[in-house]
Amino acid sequence: MNRKRQIWVFIIIIPLLYFSFFRLGGYYLTAESVFYACEKGLLYGPSEKILAEYELPKGGKLIVGKWGENLSAIPAERAFGLLWKLKSGGVSGLILCDKVVTAYLFSDGRVIGLTSNQDVKEVSCTIEYGDSDKPFIREVTMTVDQDGYFTGNWGKKKDDDYEYISYLEGRNGMGQVIYRDGKSPEGAYYIDGVLNDTEG
């Protein structure tokens, strides 16, 4: 093999080897590529649509997609300055949205959710956190977009083991409550919109 042919072989093989190394190591050119690869690895997806991307407090970003009637949430972070990989510290992955209105809490103080009821235009969540015996209570109200998706920050300031959505309401465009789940401030208990006589 002459020198010129050897040079061309190296020009072709070396990028392929680099590409294989990065792909096998879980490195991708974009955060969205990490998102779709992770979905494939978790044996679902791909999401039909990426609904939102959020910067994470400790670097990287959270990508949220919609797969069928469910949500998919994958965190990604920078690697080697130019590439992206799955962010360390765990992954939410598939979030089953099996209620008319489903809300999910992230440890950084973000709540995301999805509703299957097109009449729901606003969702309000009551969140309990801190000490489970005497929890702090905070409420966040979020606008629902055309995909039925909603999100908001409830302002968590420290890492608490206990955090829970104790109650949520869905309201129509006139501000009327048309959906409830959990224990209301009045003490009534609802399960996916239906009033229940007994709690639990």
Side-chain angles (χ1 to χ4, degrees), residues 110-170:
R110 177 171 294 279
V111 57
I112 68 169
L114 194 67
T115 178
S116 59
N117 185 338
Q118 295 182 351
D119 292 330
V120 175
K121 303 301 181 186
E122 185 179 77
V123 173
S124 179
C125 286
T126 300
I127 299 164
E128 297 184 7
Y129 66 101
D131 186 349
S132 59
D133 294 325
K134 291 184 178 179
F136 296 105
I137 296 174
R138 189 160 292 171
E139 186 175 297
V140 59
T141 299
M142 299 154 284
T143 302
V144 178
D145 71 11
Q146 68 273 11
D147 295 299
Y149 176 71
F150 56 89
T151 186
N153 282 305
W154 54 279
K156 183 176 178 180
K157 301 299 183 188
K158 59 180 181 178
D159 291 330
D160 291 305
D161 292 333
Y162 177 78
E163 55 184 25
Y164 172 67
I165 297 175
S166 59
Y167 176 69
L168 62 83
E169 287 184 349

Side-chain angles (χ1 to χ4, degrees), residues 21-196:
F21 166 76
F22 286 128
R23 182 56 58 90
L24 290 172
Y27 300 104
Y28 296 87
L29 294 175
T30 66
E32 291 78 12
S33 296
V34 174
F35 175 80
Y36 289 119
C38 189
E39 285 189 331
K40 186 176 181 181
L42 292 172
L43 305 179
Y44 72 92
S47 287
E48 298 93 22
K49 183 177 184 180
I50 291 180
L51 298 173
E53 297 185 19
Y54 307 104
E55 297 297 322
L56 294 170
K58 295 180 180 178
K61 62 173 65 176
L62 176 71
I63 304 173
V64 180
K66 186 177 183 183
W67 180 58
E69 298 304 316
N70 303 298
L71 291 174
S72 176
I74 309 290
E77 64 184 354
R78 284 283 188 184
F80 305 113
L82 297 173
L83 302 175
W84 290 86
K85 67 174 185 174
L86 182 64
K87 187 172 176 64
S88 59
V91 59
S92 300
L94 180 64
I95 300 170
L96 292 174
C97 299
D98 51 1
K99 294 186 175 184
V100 174
V101 180
T102 299
Y104 183 86
L105 291 176
F106 284 94
S107 59
D108 66 346
R110 177 171 294 279
V111 57
I112 68 169
L114 194 67
T115 178
S116 59
N117 185 338
Q118 295 182 351
D119 292 330
V120 175
K121 303 301 181 186
E122 185 179 77
V123 173
S124 179
C125 286
T126 300
I127 299 164
E128 297 184 7
Y129 66 101
D131 186 349
S132 59
D133 294 325
K134 291 184 178 179
F136 296 105
I137 296 174
R138 189 160 292 171
E139 186 175 297
V140 59
T141 299
M142 299 154 284
T143 302
V144 178
D145 71 11
Q146 68 273 11
D147 295 299
Y149 176 71
F150 56 89
T151 186
N153 282 305
W154 54 279
K156 183 176 178 180
K157 301 299 183 188
K158 59 180 181 178
D159 291 330
D160 291 305
D161 292 333
Y162 177 78
E163 55 184 25
Y164 172 67
I165 297 175
S166 59
Y167 176 69
L168 62 83
E169 287 184 349
R171 304 186 187 101
N172 63 17
M174 304 293 291
Q176 299 167 318
V177 177
I178 59 174
Y179 176 87
R180 297 174 175 87
D181 193 32
K183 190 172 184 178
S184 74
E186 296 77 30
Y189 187 75
Y190 296 85
I191 299 177
D192 199 18
V194 179
L195 179 62
N196 203 11

